[in-house]
Structure formats: structure tokens, C-alpha cells
Amino acid sequence: MAPLKSVTYVQAAWDGLGDLQRVFDTWQHTAPVADNRLGTQLEIHRNKILLFAVLAEGTPAEAKRLLAPILSIGRPEVSVQVGNWGDVYAGFQIPTANEPANWKFFSQFTNKPFPKKAIGVIASFMRDAPTDDSNFFTQAFGGAVRKSPRGGTAFPHRDALFYSEPGAGWGDRSVPGSGDELTPRAQAWIAEFSQALRPYVHGAYVNVPNVGMQDWETAYWDGNFDRLRKIKAKYDPRNVFQYEQSVPPAFC
């Protein structure tokens, strides 16, 4: 391992969703295989598309070259920053006070590129999003993620092409009860959105749990669940640490 001294951070923004088909399709076919040092995310809002990219130990010119297939689509507004990773990361975090009072996400993974129909589903739901804070978030996998020794960790989604979340945010943190009137609509939107994407996705991310999901054991852990139950029996045989979707000891 070596210390990460410098990163190049690229952000691109497209107005509206007119370029979504081309942006998303180009991103999913190029970003996961571009370079192991490149991490990329797409955020699709109801009135804009955002691309975030971080290139470890690379120059702005190199970052733009790797991202050229995406950045050449339409007329995105592009900004580039070079600096220490800690400073760059802190700079694009949203202050907690500015976050919506409520968030609801649905986590999922994808092993094959989305067909045109799936991208159309995203566009349709985002145009009808309950708030401006709602989005469809994706993060490219591939690259170094796939190099972990097989079976060496409990995380089973290393073959995923990308991870994604339909997410709804609503309400004002500074106002008690703010957004309560939007809660039914936001929750219904997430449920319908995630259901519409089911033919194209699989699994779930345990750090973004899907409450009420059937077969959550295999969705989070796939074939590692029995091994985790044995570890649970060794270190927490009385099942002190438990919740609705927690791993039970093997002998329960």
C-alpha cells in the first residue's frame, strides 16, 4: 500500500434529462473499465444529470481523457480540482444542516448494462420525483473491486458492474414535522421505482438496508450467510446484537 497524495476531482453537469440515454449508456460501458484509479458516480435528478469522478494520482488532462466519451455528450458544465484527498472529499460533502429531514433509499446491484428500456424507467420516474432532493444514484464497480481474493470477505457483489439507489429526500431539518405531508408520496415513489427496476437489478447493500425485503439473507450476503452465522455463534452466542435483519447464531 502507498499513501494517496493527490487526486483530480472532476464534476460535470447537464441541464435537464435530454442527454440521459447517451450519458448513462456511455458511462456504464466505459467508466467501470476505464482505469483502476478512476472512481465515478452519476446522480440523476429531475432537472439535471451530475457526474462525479475522482482519479487517484492523476492529472486533469488524464482525467479528462478517461472521461472523454461521457464529457463529449451534449454541453456539460465541467469543473476540475486537484488536491489532497481529504480536502477534496470534505469539499463535496453537504453540511448536515442542509440535508433534507427525511431520506429513503433502495439499494441494488447490476451485473449487466441497463438496456434502453431500463434507462427510460429512470427518466420517467425522475421526471415525476417528489422533490428536487430526490435522485437516482449510481457508482461504478469493476476494476480493483474484483481483485479481492474470492471468499476472503463477506461482501459478495464484486462482479457487479455498478451499484445504484433510487432515493427520495424531503422536509426541512430546522422545522419539526416538516415534510410529513410528503411522506406517503415519497415512500410510494421509491417502492414503485424499485419495483420497476427489478428485472435489471439484484441483491442489496447491507449498509443501505431495504426494510421489509424478502430473502434479505441472500440479497445482502449471497452464499456467505451460513459462514456469518457460525461467526455470530462464536462471538455473540446469546444474540445480544440483534435487529430485524441481523445475522442469527448458527445454532438458533
Side-chain angles (χ1 to χ4, degrees):
M1 297 181 65
L4 180 56
K5 297 179 181 178
S6 174
V7 299
T8 294
Y9 172 53
V10 179
Q11 180 174 330
W14 290 260
D15 286 334
L17 300 182
D19 291 316
L20 179 58
Q21 278 282 349
R22 289 196 297 156
V23 169
F24 196 102
D25 192 51
T26 301
W27 172 82
Q28 69 179 346
H29 281 96
T30 60
V33 296
D35 191 299
N36 285 359
R37 298 170 298 144
L38 181 69
T40 61
Q41 302 173 355
L42 280 182
E43 272 190 24
I44 302 157
H45 295 255
R46 62 183 179 183
N47 57 1
K48 61 184 175 182
I49 306 165
L50 299 175
L51 168 72
F52 304 98
V54 175
L55 179 65
E57 304 294 356
T59 65
E62 188 177 14
K64 287 185 176 181
R65 177 180 61 79
L66 292 169
L67 296 168
I70 307 168
L71 298 180
S72 64
I73 298 170
R75 300 178 64 183
E77 182 179 340
V78 181
S79 64
V80 182
Q81 177 184 351
V82 179
N84 174 272
W85 166 238
D87 294 336
V88 170
Y89 183 82
F92 62 70
Q93 298 305 297
I94 299 174
T96 301
N98 296 337
E99 288 274 0
N102 308 282
W103 275 112
K104 174 73 173 178
F105 302 101
F106 192 91
S107 64
Q108 56 203 9
F109 293 88
T110 298
N111 279 18
K112 296 181 179 180
F114 274 2
K116 184 176 182 179
K117 185 176 180 179
I119 302 172
V121 167
I122 298 170
S124 177
F125 274 90
M126 288 314 309
R127 290 190 181 103
D128 192 39
T131 65
D132 285 338
D133 287 312
S134 303
N135 65 71
F136 182 82
F137 163 86
T138 63
Q139 183 172 29
F141 268 45
V145 175
R146 298 187 178 186
K147 291 187 177 181
S148 172
R150 296 294 165 174
T153 70
F155 184 77
H157 307 293
R158 296 189 179 278
D159 289 330
L161 185 67
F162 58 85
Y163 166 80
S164 62
E165 298 171 358
W170 69 99
D172 187 334
R173 285 179 180 265
S174 64
V175 181
S178 174
D180 287 356
E181 72 283 356
L182 277 173
T183 297
R185 181 188 170 196
Q187 292 181 337
W189 181 79
I190 284 287
E192 293 167 7
F193 197 169
S194 58
Q195 179 67 23
L197 287 174
R198 282 191 66 183
Y200 316 106
V201 301
H202 68 90
Y205 183 32
V206 70
N207 281 357
V208 185
N210 297 337
V211 177
M213 168 176 264
Q214 295 182 348
D215 301 323
W216 55 267
E217 302 94 330
T218 52
Y220 297 143
W221 310 114
D222 197 26
N224 295 323
F225 189 66
D226 289 341
R227 294 168 59 202
L228 289 168
R229 292 193 67 193
K230 292 177 182 178
I231 294 171
K232 175 80 170 187
K234 179 178 179 179
Y235 292 101
D236 184 17
R238 297 181 182 275
N239 203 21
V240 173
F241 299 97
Q242 62 172 293
Y243 52 93
E244 184 180 351
Q245 294 180 345
S246 63
V247 175
F251 47 77
C252 285

